[in-house]
Amino acid sequence: MPGMNPDIIQNILIMALPVLLAITIHEAAHGYAARHFGDNTAQMLGRITLNPLKHIDPIGTIVIPLVLYFATSGAFMFGYAKPVPINTRNLKNPRRDMIWIALAGPASNIAQAIIWTLLLGLLLAMGIRETFFMGMVSAGIVINLVLAVLNLFPLPPLDGGRIAVGLLPYKPASFLARLEPYGFFIIMGLLLMGILDRFWLRPLVDLGKAILLQPLAWLLG
């Protein structure tokens, strides 16, 4: 495209695979967990799959992230996948089971961040420093940590909000649950104001990177 910054195009290509894997496995993990606890809704709708096309939301996964990425020259990007449908009436203990179902998504991202870290260590041990692959494994670590940390923020409809609803006493849990219709707008506002990044995302992602990468520094340094 005329006037398109080639660095932005390269960054999109580097991030494409880690992003697709991160959101696909995240949503599939919710479906697997729901099935484990007795709800087959996601399975019947074909959502327990590693096919990314089943989880992509055209607006939330493609349009919004690209518009924000190009509009801010890569400084800010936000998006979402299609939520996995869950029928709590099929769960034996809905309050308890929803905690584990919600936790499955961020847990899958933490597991992927660990796998990308191991791959980074393997590349470094083999003396491979090719820019594209190093960028991809680094993106895999950061993207999955960001998704895990963001989704653990205790506000519905994020996974952390559902976990909080399951853990809190009845009255505060009910109040938090009633915020769900407005949760997306609150989260976007906190992101745009930099509050969520400064006080939640950045500190926890930096902590996660330190925990994952420090052993590599010891082994390879």
Side-chain angles (χ1 to χ4, degrees), residues 62-107:
I62 300 173
V63 176
I64 290 178
L66 285 177
V67 169
L68 290 174
Y69 192 89
F70 284 118
T72 63
S73 297
F76 178 77
M77 188 168 66
F78 177 79
Y80 54 88
K82 286 193 296 186
V84 166
I86 297 168
N87 187 346
T88 56
R89 289 176 295 182
N90 294 328
L91 303 175
K92 295 178 181 178
N93 188 330
R95 187 176 172 86
R96 181 204 64 195
D97 296 346
M98 277 303 301
I99 295 173
W100 294 107
I101 293 169
L103 189 60

Side-chain angles (χ1 to χ4, degrees), residues 195-209:
I195 296 173
L196 194 58
D197 178 63
R198 181 179 178 184
F199 296 105
W200 181 265
L201 275 175
R202 193 177 300 275
L204 292 179
V205 169
D206 287 346
L207 176 63
K209 286 165 64 178

Side-chain angles (χ1 to χ4, degrees), residues 159-220:
D159 298 324
R162 301 189 189 283
I163 294 169
V165 168
L167 292 174
L168 288 171
Y170 177 76
K171 284 188 176 180
S174 297
F175 171 78
L176 192 61
R178 287 197 296 271
L179 291 178
E180 181 160 350
Y182 318 103
F184 176 79
F185 302 102
I186 296 172
I187 293 160
M188 283 298 296
L190 293 174
L191 281 169
L192 292 172
M193 288 187 292
I195 296 173
L196 194 58
D197 178 63
R198 181 179 178 184
F199 296 105
W200 181 265
L201 275 175
R202 193 177 300 275
L204 292 179
V205 169
D206 287 346
L207 176 63
K209 286 165 64 178
I211 292 171
L212 290 175
L213 297 177
Q214 188 58 53
L216 286 185
W218 290 335
L219 290 172
L220 301 172

